[in-house]
C-alpha cells in the first residue's frame, strides 16, 4: 500500500468511518464532497455492549446503565460484577475452579476511554476483582497489583474477605486430583471468562475482563485476561477488543492490541479478529486442535466482529435496544 493511501485509510478510521474506508481508498483528491456525504449519513451505533460467551444478564446490566446515560466505564464494571457473583460460572469470580493446589485465584483488568488501565493478578479471597482493578487504575499511581499486595489493597479499600471455593468447585478439583497429571483444562465449548466492551451515549469506549483463569493451572500462573493488550485493549479513537480461551496463545500474539491496531489500519472488526486468529493458527507446526481462542471487537462506529479457532464460541451483543446471544464464526471447519 502506498504511504499516502495508508495515511488516508488510517485517518478515515480514526474519524470513525471504518465502514467506508475501503471506498475512500478509491476516491481521488477531488471527491471531498462525496466523502462529506458518506460521513454525514453514517450514524454511529450507540449505546452498545458486546461481551464474550453467553452472558445475557451481564450485558443487560451494562446496557441499562448506558441507556440511563451512564458511562461505558461504569457499564463494563457493573456488567462484569454480575458474572463474578454468579457462583455457577466456574471460570469467573466466586465459584471459579481453583489452581492445582486448590486455591481460587482471580485476574481482572479494566481500561477506559482516556487510555488508562488497571489490573489485579492472582488475587485470593476477593470476589469483585474487576472493581479492585478499577481502584488500582483510579486510586494508585500504578497499573498492576499482584497477589498479596493486591489483596492487602482490597482490604484497605473496604472489600470483604470471602471464601471463593464453592462446594462444587472443590468437588471438581478433588476429581481432578485423582489423576493429578498436570494438564490445565481448556473446555473448547464453554469458557466463561467475561471480556466486555461498551460504547456509551457520548461515544466513549471502555472495556473490562475478569476470570479465574485456566482450571487447575499451576499456582502462580497468569493468563492473558489481566494483561493490557492481551485479554483487553481499548483505544477510544479506534475501538476495543477482548479475548477468551488459552491465554498463553493470546499473549504470544498480543491479540487484543493487535486487533485494535489492525482496525486503526482500516480493517473492520471482523477482519481484524480473523487476522488475529490467523496469527495463532498459521504458526508453523502449531497444533491448535486442543485449545480454543475467541475474540470480540468493536470499532468507534459501533461495528462489531467476533471469531474463534473452534466452533461454539458465542457472544452477547446489545445494540438498537436488543440483547442477543450470537454464535461466532470460526476457523476450524475441517
Ligand atoms: N483467557 C483465560 C486465561 O487464559 C481463560 C479463559 O478465557 O477461559 O486465563
Amino acid at each position: 500500500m502506498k504511504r499516502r493511501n495508508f495515511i488516508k485509510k488510517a485517518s478515515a478510521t480514526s474519524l470513525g468511518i471504518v465502514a467506508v474506508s475501503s471506498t475512500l481508498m478509491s476516491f481521488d483528491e477531488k471527491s471531498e464532497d462525496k466523502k462529506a456525504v458518506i460521513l454525514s449519513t453514517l450514524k454511529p451505533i450507540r449505546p452498545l455492549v458486546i461481551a464474550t460467551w453467553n452472558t445475557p444478564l451481564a450485558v443487560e446490566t451494562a446496557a441499562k446503565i448506558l441507556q440511563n446515560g451512564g458511562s461505558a466505564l461504569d457499564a463494563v464494571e457493573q456488567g462484569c460484577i454480575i458474572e463474578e457473583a454468579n457462583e455457577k460460572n466456574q471460570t469467573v469470580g466466586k465459584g471459579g475452579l481453583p489452581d492445582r493446589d486448590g486455591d481460587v485465584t482471580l485476574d481482572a483488568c479494566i481500561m477506559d476511554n482516556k487510555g488508562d488501565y488497571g489490573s489485579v493478578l492472582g488475587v485470593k479471597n476477593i470476589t469483585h476483582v474487576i472493581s479492585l482493578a478499577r481502584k488500582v487504575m483510579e486510586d494508585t499511581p500504578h497499573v498492576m497489583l499482584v497477589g498479596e499486595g493486591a489483596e492487602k489493597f482490597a482490604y484497605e479499600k473496604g472489600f470483604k474477605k470471602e471464601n471463593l471455593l464453592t462446594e462444587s468447585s472443590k468437588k471438581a478439583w478433588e476429581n481432578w486430583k485423582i489423576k493429578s497429571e498436570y494438564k490445565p483444562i481448556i473446555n473448547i465449548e464453554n469458557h466463561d471468562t467475561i471480556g466486555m466492551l461498551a460504547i456509551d451515549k457520548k461515544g466513549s469506549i471502555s472495556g473490562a475482563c475478569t476470570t479465574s483463569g485456566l482450571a487447575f493451572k499451576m499456582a502462580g500462573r497468569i493468563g492473558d485476561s489481566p494483561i493490557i493488550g492481551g485479554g483487553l485493549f481499548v483505544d477510544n479513537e479506534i475501538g476495543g477488543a477482548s479475548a477468551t480461551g488459552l491465554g498463553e496463545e493470546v499473549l504470544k500474539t498480543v491479540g487484543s492490541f493487535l486487533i485494535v491496531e489492525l482496525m486503526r489500519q482500516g480493517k473492520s472488526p471482523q477482519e481484524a479478529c480473523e487476522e488475529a486468529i490467523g496469527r495463532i493458527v498459521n504458526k508453523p507446526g502449531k497444533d491448535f486442535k486442543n485449545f480454543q481462542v475467541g475474540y470480540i471487537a468493536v470499532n468507534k462506529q459501533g461495528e462489531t466482529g467476533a471469531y474463534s479457532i473452534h466452533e461454539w464460541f458465542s457472544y452477547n451483543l446489545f445494540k438498537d435496544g436488543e440483547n442477543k446471544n450470537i454464535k461466532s464464526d470460526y476457523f476450524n471447519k475441517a
Side-chain angles (χ1 to χ4, degrees), residues 25 39 60 70 87 141 149-150 220 267 277 328:
M25 286 284 292
L39 271 171
E60 190 187 310
E87 292 182 22
K267 291 222 186 293
I277 290 291
S328 167

Side-chain angles (χ1 to χ4, degrees), residues 53 91 107 186 191-193 211-214 221-226 243-248 250:
W53 303 107
T91 57
D107 306 325
I186 185 116
H191 284 269
D192 293 306
T193 288
T211 188
S212 53
L214 292 188
R221 178 265 185 192
I222 302 293
D224 60 313
S225 305
T244 180
L246 187 61
E248 282 74 2
V250 174

Side-chain angles (χ1 to χ4, degrees), residues 267-323:
K267 291 222 186 293
S268 70
Q270 185 60 34
E271 288 166 343
C273 289
E274 289 178 22
E275 181 157 342
I277 290 291
R279 294 282 175 102
I280 297 171
V281 296
N282 294 327
K283 280 185 182 165
K286 178 61 79 185
D287 182 8
F288 53 80
K289 295 283 183 296
N290 293 321
F291 67 84
Q292 172 70 303
V293 171
Y295 287 114
I296 54 167
V298 65
N299 65 18
K300 191 74 179 165
Q301 191 65 20
E303 291 179 291
T304 55
Y307 203 61
S308 57
I309 300 178
H310 302 285
E311 198 175 2
W312 302 120
F313 173 50
S314 73
Y315 59 98
N316 257 80
L317 176 64
F318 171 87
K319 71 172 188 184
D320 301 328
E322 275 190 289
N323 180 7

